[in-house]
Structure formats: structure tokens, C-alpha cells
């Protein structure tokens, strides 16, 4: 027994503390956080879509579709509180940059790529939150670990936008000098595509600010014209987007039927169906199914498609859809596992932005008409590419049709150019560019979204809400600063109808 005991002790002595740690290390779990690991996490977060019905929620708000399971607030324009979850992106992005900077073996060109990515995703996250709420923490945001600031001050919305624009310009400069980097599931680490994304996104931001002459020290028109001359997206394939795959369940399209059970409830509205019928826009056949009550007219006939009036009382909407009077969404949205890529910043969108800027007289690479046609053509080709033949209802969208469309009812007319640009941008945004159409509407009043005071759940009965309210937990953990921001902006109110600086 003594020999056995001594033998066991000798084995334990051979397994040193370091050896024991090595034996107990899970080979599938990363023990060192690398910049590439954090880059993957950050990029996936900024291109993430909610699975199930909330994936299509912004289409309820702008009245592209309705939903018949039960009444959802966006269907009738009710806003509640949002959250600050995207600040986690800033924390991870800062950590990614710090780890890259501390890596003595990493080349400077690769460090610049990670620094550029940090600035891009920071701008992207801050833009989303300030557009939704107004003033937000910016200069002191995500500094809990570095500076022990756990209750950051709220910067004015103007200061937030100035920071976003300066960071996007700097990100563009960094990507122009950067090398490829690891951990990128969107552009495979190509800095030239990231530079295009930063430049293209800056044009969206500046366009949202087009009613302002200056934002802090930045002249909006001057910066727009500068960024418009830098490399931009040249095709829809270069868009900042998430591409899905049928190979693994984690990579399925967000509305694929095996990921959710809401696929029977979405129906098209009369607002967008009538808009497309007026233009004889064949994308209707790719977006929708024939109404059951009208299918005898032929699946390739515009007469077989109908949208429900989205401002009717909800019970009426449910009854009409249940009776087969209106068109459900095209089955491709839930029957194809890979679906279509979901775009967050799109080539077609930026071409529409350039067309709008050209209408204002700002310098752009091409004319308003050319940018408009580039955008419409790209948006139509995207829809055609990702709609298999069996879901096209025997109707084709090809180059000949697009040429005819752009020379016919959708032909560009500078006298009504803004209405056409926003309308075409709206049609191309179905289940894409979440909430971008709402922000365009909030900015321009176009397209004229139907509102019925009798069914509108917003407190101001003749309009859509203007913002989301601040997170409830801010009142307990950062009361001093949030109350200061609300008093500064809205005279002490925090409601969905308060007017933020951007809209004044």
C-alpha cells in the first residue's frame, strides 16, 4: 500500500500546476481573446436580424405588410421604450482595437484595419441609437472599464452626429492604408470594401442631415461632396449585408419556416400593392402571392393581387385576409432556407441618396436621373436574382423589362424627382434596410403613409410617432444625466412625439 501511495504521489508531482491547467483546457473554447475573434462577433452583431415575426416589424410601421396573428403596436403606430443594447458593440470594438495595438508582432497596416473597423461599427451603433431617441451618451460611452465612468453624460444629438461623421471619415482614411485582416464574415477582410462601406454609410448619414447647413464644425454639403468622390459601392453585391445559407440551421434566413411559426400571418397592404400596380411593377409578383379569391384571374395578372387597407379596424383586417380577399407574402420568404441576403447599407440605397443630393444641386458623380436609374436597376436585379423561377408566378424581370420600366411609368421626371426617388427606395426596401423607410418618411413625409385618426394608436392622431422613448432602467442607473438630456431637448418630457434636434 505504501508503494502504491508513493507511486500516486509521484504521478501528481509530474502533473505540475501548468500541466494540470493544460489538461483541463477545452480545446474548443478560445483561451485568448484575439482581435479577429472580436471582429467576427462585432460584425455579426451589426448584421443581425431578429428571427420570426419581428424580422418584418418595420414593414408594419410603414404599411408595406400587415400581420393577422394578433394586434401588434407597430401596425397602428404605437411606440414604446427601446434599449441601449448596442453599447456592447462599442465595448467589444474598443477591446478589439486595444488588443490589436498591443500586439507587437502585428503589422501596422493590419492594426489600421482593426482601428478602422472600430470606428465604423462605433459610428453604425451610435447612428442607430441617436436616430431612434435623440441625445445619447457618446463621448463618455463604453468607458466603464477604462475610465470607471458608469453613468455617462448625454451628448447633444448634434455632437453625436459630428462624432459619427468624423469617425467615418477617419475610418475611410485608415482602410485606404490598411491590409487585409482576419475575422471578417462579410467582406473577408478586404479593406477596400470596408472603405466603400464607410464612405457609402457617411452619405446616408449626411443625407439624413441635409436640412442642416452645419453639424458642429462640419459643413454638410461640403462633406457630402467630398465623400461622394471617394470609393463607393459599385454593385448590390458590395452592399453591407448578411448572406444566408441552407447548409447549417444557424445560417438560415430569419423568416425561414423551420425557425419560426408565423409564416401564415403576413399579408400585403393596399398601400404598396396599389403603388406597384400603378407603375406596373413586376416586383409585385416576386413579393406576393395571388389572393385566393382572385387566383382565377391568373397568377401572372396584376388583377389577381390585392392588398388590405392597413388602417382599417384590426378585426376587419383579420376577417378580410382570412376570407382570401388579399395577397399573402410570396412563399419564397419562408420556404427557401437561404432566402435572400439582408442588406443594412445597400448600393441601390446609396444611388438613391446620390440622386436626391443631385436634385438639391449638390455635386455628385452622375446626374440625378442616372443615379436614380442605377438604383432602380440594381434593386430590380437583386429581387430577380434571389427569386427562383418557381416563385415568380410566370412573370420575368429581365434587362428588357427594366429598360421598358425606366422609359415608361417609372421614367425619371425632375419635377417630381424626390417623390419618385423615395417611392422607388420604398418599394425596394421590403424586408430590407430595417426602419430606413420610416426615417425617410419622418424626414420628408414621403411616401404619404396612410393614417386614420380612428385607428391610430399614437397620441397625436394625425401623425406617426417621431421617436422611441429612452430605456426605463436609465432612470435608475443614470438619472441625473438622462433627466438633464430630456429637459434640454424636450422640456422635461420623454414621449414618442417630442421633436429631436435632427427634425427641427
Amino acid at each position: 500500500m505504501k508503494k502504491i501511495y508513493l507511486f500516486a504521489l509521484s504521478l501528481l508531482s509530474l502533473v505540475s500546476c501548468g500541466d494540470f491547467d493544460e489538461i483541463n483546457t477545452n480545446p474548443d473554447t478560445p483561451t485568448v481573446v484575439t482581435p479577429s475573434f472580436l471582429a467576427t462577433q462585432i460584425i455579426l452583431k451589426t448584421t443581425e436580424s431578429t428571427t420570426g415575426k419581428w424580422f418584418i416589424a418595420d414593414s408594419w410601421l410603414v404599411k408595406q405588410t400587415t400581420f393577422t396573428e394578433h394586434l401588434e403596436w407597430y401596425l397602428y403606430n404605437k411606440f414604446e421604450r427601446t434599449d441601449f443594447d448596442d453599447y456592447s458593440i462599442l465595448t467589444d470594438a474598443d477591446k478589439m482595437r486595444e488588443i490589436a495595438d498591443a500586439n507587437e508582432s502585428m503589422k501596422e497596416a493590419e492594426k489600421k484595419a482593426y482601428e478602422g473597423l472600430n470606428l465604423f461599427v462605433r459610428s453604425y451603433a451610435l447612428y442607430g441609437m441617436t436616430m431612434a431617441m435623440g441625445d445619447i451618451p457618446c463621448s463618455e460611452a463604453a468607458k466603464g472599464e477604462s475610465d470607471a465612468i458608469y453613468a455617462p453624460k448625454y451628448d447633444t444629438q448634434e455632437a453625436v452626429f459630428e462624432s459619427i461623421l468624423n469617425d467615418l471619415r477617419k475610418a475611410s482614411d485608415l482602410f485606404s492604408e490598411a491590409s487585409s485582416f482576419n475575422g471578417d464574415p462579410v467582406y473577408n477582410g478586404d479593406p477596400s470594401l470596408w472603405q466603400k462601406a464607410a464612405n457609402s454609410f457617411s452619405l446616408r448619414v449626411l443625407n439624413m442631415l441635409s436640412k442642416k447647413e452645419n453639424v458642429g464644425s462640419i459643413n454638410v454639403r461640403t462633406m457630402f461632396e467630398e465623400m461622394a468622390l471617394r470609393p463607393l459601392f459599385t454593385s448590390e453585391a458590395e452592399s453591407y449585408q448578411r448572406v444566408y445559407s441552407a447548409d447549417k440551421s444557424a445560417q438560415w434566413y430569419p423568416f425561414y419556416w423551420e425557425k419560426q411559426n408565423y409564416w401564415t400571418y403576413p399579408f400585403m397592404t393596399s398601400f404598396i400593392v396599389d403603388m406597384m400596380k400603378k407603375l406596373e411593377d413586376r416586383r409585385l409578383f416576386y413579393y406576393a402571392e395571388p389572393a385566393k379569391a382572385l387566383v382565377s384571374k391568373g397568377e401572372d395578372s396584376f388583377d389577381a393581387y390585392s392588398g388590405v387597407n392597413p388602417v382599417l379596424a384590426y378585426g376587419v383586417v383579420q376577417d378580410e385576409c382570412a376570407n382570401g380577399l388579399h395577397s399573402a407574402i410570396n412563399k419564397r420568404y419562408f420556404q427557401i432556407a437561404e432566402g435572400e441576403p439582408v442588406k443594412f447599407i445597400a448600393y441601390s440605397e446609396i444611388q438613391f441618396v446620390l440622386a436626391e443630393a443631385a436634385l438639391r444641386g449638390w455635386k455628385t458623380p452622375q446626374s440625378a436621373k442616372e443615379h436614380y436609374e442605377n438604383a432602380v436597376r440594381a434593386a430590380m436585379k437583386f429581387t430577380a436574382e434571389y427569386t427562383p423561377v418557381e416563385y415568380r408566378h410566370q412573370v420575368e424581370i429581365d434587362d428588357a423589362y427594366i429598360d421598358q420600366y425606366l422609359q415608361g411609368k417609372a421614367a425619371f421626371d425632375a419635377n417630381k424627382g424626390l417623390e419618385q426617388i423615395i417611392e422607388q427606395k420604398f418599394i425596394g426596401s421590403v424586408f430590407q434596410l430595417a426602419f430606413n423607410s420610416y426615417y425617410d418618411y419622418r424626414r420628408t413625409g414621403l411616401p404619404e403613409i396612410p393614417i386614420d385618426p380612428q385607428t391610430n394608436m399614437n397620441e397625436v392622431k394625425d401623425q406617426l410617432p417621431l421617436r422611441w422613448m429612452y430605456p426605463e432602467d436609465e432612470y435608475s442607473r443614470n438619472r441625473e444625466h438622462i433627466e438633464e438630456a430630456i429637459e434640454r431637448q424636450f422640456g422635461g418630457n420623454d414621449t414618442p412625439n417630442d421633436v429631436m434636434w435632427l427634425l427641427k
Side-chain angles (χ1 to χ4, degrees), residues 64 271-281 283 287 352 356 372 376 379 405 409-411 416-430 437 440-441 443-448:
Q64 292 169 334
F271 182 52
I272 191 168
V273 170
D274 292 349
M275 185 185 295
M276 298 177 79
K277 282 184 174 182
K278 176 193 69 175
L279 293 166
E280 297 180 2
D281 192 321
R283 282 175 289 186
Y287 287 170
F352 283 127
E356 186 180 331
Y372 167 85
V376 173
Y405 182 81
K409 294 186 177 181
K416 54 179 182 179
L418 182 61
E419 290 86 347
Q420 286 183 301
I421 289 166
I422 299 298
E423 182 177 66
Q424 285 292 332
K425 198 175 178 184
F426 179 82
I427 292 172
S429 71
V430 175
S437 287
D440 275 337
Y441 170 79
R443 174 176 62 93
T444 67
L446 298 170
E448 295 183 15

Side-chain angles (χ1 to χ4, degrees), residues 181-192:
F181 64 98
N182 295 321
D184 174 14
V186 171
Y187 292 132
N188 197 29
D190 185 339
S192 67

Side-chain angles (χ1 to χ4, degrees), residues 50-265:
T50 305
T51 298
K53 63 182 176 181
W54 294 108
F55 171 65
I56 62 173
D58 76 301
S59 73
W60 307 336
L61 177 60
V62 294
K63 309 303 178 276
Q64 292 169 334
T65 72
T66 190
F67 194 73
T68 61
E69 181 200 24
H70 56 70
L71 193 153
E72 300 288 354
W73 286 343
Y74 281 168
L75 294 170
Y76 293 96
N77 315 321
K78 185 176 176 60
F79 279 14
E80 285 294 314
R81 298 189 180 278
T82 186
D83 57 57
F84 276 163
D85 289 355
D86 281 349
Y87 278 112
S88 65
I89 296 173
L90 274 63
T91 302
D92 290 342
D94 281 343
K95 181 62 66 176
M96 173 191 69
R97 176 186 53 79
E98 290 172 9
I99 295 172
D101 285 345
N103 188 335
E104 296 180 358
S105 64
M106 184 179 290
K107 294 181 179 179
E108 285 302 314
E110 188 175 358
K111 290 183 179 182
K112 287 183 177 181
Y114 286 117
E115 186 178 355
L117 178 60
N118 169 53
L119 293 173
F120 174 84
V121 298
R122 176 182 175 85
S123 300
Y124 187 87
L126 290 173
Y127 170 83
M129 291 187 286
T130 193
M131 287 291 286
M133 289 170 273
D135 293 3
I136 57 169
C138 177
S139 58
E140 293 183 355
K143 291 190 175 181
E145 181 179 344
S146 61
D147 299 333
I149 299 176
Y150 302 107
K153 70 176 184 180
Y154 280 59
D155 296 87
T156 67
Q157 190 172 46
E158 182 176 12
V160 174
F161 273 113
E162 183 181 21
S163 176
I164 288 169
L165 292 171
N166 283 329
D167 284 351
L168 286 171
R169 181 193 275 124
K170 187 175 180 181
S172 173
D173 293 339
L174 287 164
F175 285 129
S176 72
E177 301 171 352
S179 66
S180 61
F181 64 98
N182 295 321
D184 174 14
V186 171
Y187 292 132
N188 197 29
D190 185 339
S192 67
L193 291 176
W194 278 104
Q195 186 190 25
K196 290 181 179 181
N199 296 337
S200 298
F201 184 52
S202 72
L203 295 188
R204 178 202 285 181
V205 177
L206 289 159
N207 193 53
M208 291 291 176
L209 292 161
S210 61
K211 292 182 179 179
K212 306 288 185 181
E213 183 176 353
N214 297 297
V215 176
S217 61
I218 297 170
N219 181 273
V220 174
R221 175 175 178 171
T222 299
M223 184 173 178
F224 187 99
E225 293 177 347
E226 172 201 338
M227 302 306 286
L229 292 176
R230 295 193 180 198
L232 303 171
F233 293 145
T234 58
S235 70
E236 208 75 316
E238 292 184 346
S239 299
Y240 190 60
Q241 60 190 353
R242 176 79 71 90
V243 178
Y244 293 91
S245 169
D247 295 340
K248 297 179 180 178
S249 60
Q251 298 174 7
W252 287 342
Y253 184 69
F255 206 65
Y256 182 51
W257 73 274
E258 287 199 38
K259 297 191 78 168
Q260 48 85 27
N261 60 357
Y262 300 105
W263 52 271
T264 62
Y265 301 116

Side-chain angles (χ1 to χ4, degrees), residues 12 14-25:
L12 287 172
L14 287 173
V15 181
S16 66
C17 182
D19 294 334
F20 188 78
D21 289 342
E22 183 175 345
I23 290 170
N24 282 274
T25 298

Side-chain angles (χ1 to χ4, degrees), residues 242-412:
R242 176 79 71 90
V243 178
Y244 293 91
S245 169
D247 295 340
K248 297 179 180 178
S249 60
Q251 298 174 7
W252 287 342
Y253 184 69
F255 206 65
Y256 182 51
W257 73 274
E258 287 199 38
K259 297 191 78 168
Q260 48 85 27
N261 60 357
Y262 300 105
W263 52 271
T264 62
Y265 301 116
F267 283 80
M268 305 300 292
T269 69
S270 56
F271 182 52
I272 191 168
V273 170
D274 292 349
M275 185 185 295
M276 298 177 79
K277 282 184 174 182
K278 176 193 69 175
L279 293 166
E280 297 180 2
D281 192 321
R282 292 182 182 176
R283 282 175 289 186
L284 178 59
F285 301 98
Y286 292 48
Y287 287 170
E289 293 293 315
K292 292 180 180 178
L294 303 173
V295 72
S296 61
K297 296 179 182 292
E299 65 176 335
D300 59 348
S301 170
F302 281 103
D303 292 336
Y305 295 79
S306 172
V308 66
N309 183 345
V311 302
L312 292 174
Y314 189 63
V316 178
V317 170
Q318 286 181 306
D319 289 344
E320 289 190 6
C321 292
N323 290 327
L325 301 180
H326 303 297
S327 296
I329 63 171
N330 193 296
K331 293 176 182 177
R332 71 182 175 97
Y333 288 114
F334 54 85
Q335 288 188 347
I336 302 174
E338 64 270 27
E340 64 184 15
V342 175
K343 296 175 287 186
F344 296 86
I345 311 167
Y347 165 76
S348 54
E349 171 211 352
I350 302 307
Q351 288 296 308
F352 283 127
V353 165
L354 288 163
E356 186 180 331
L359 274 183
R360 290 193 292 269
W362 294 5
K363 294 178 183 177
T364 53
Q366 294 178 289
S367 68
K369 178 177 183 291
E370 289 170 315
H371 284 302
Y372 167 85
E373 291 181 350
N374 292 342
V376 173
R377 189 176 299 277
M380 283 192 153
K381 285 190 170 184
F382 175 87
T383 298
E385 180 180 354
Y386 292 101
T387 306
V389 173
E390 60 269 32
Y391 295 94
R392 297 179 182 178
H393 300 296
Q394 303 182 50
V395 174
E396 290 301 315
I397 295 177
D398 53 20
D399 287 335
Y401 165 72
I402 297 173
D403 289 341
Q404 176 188 349
Y405 182 81
L406 289 170
Q407 293 165 13
K409 294 186 177 181
F412 184 74

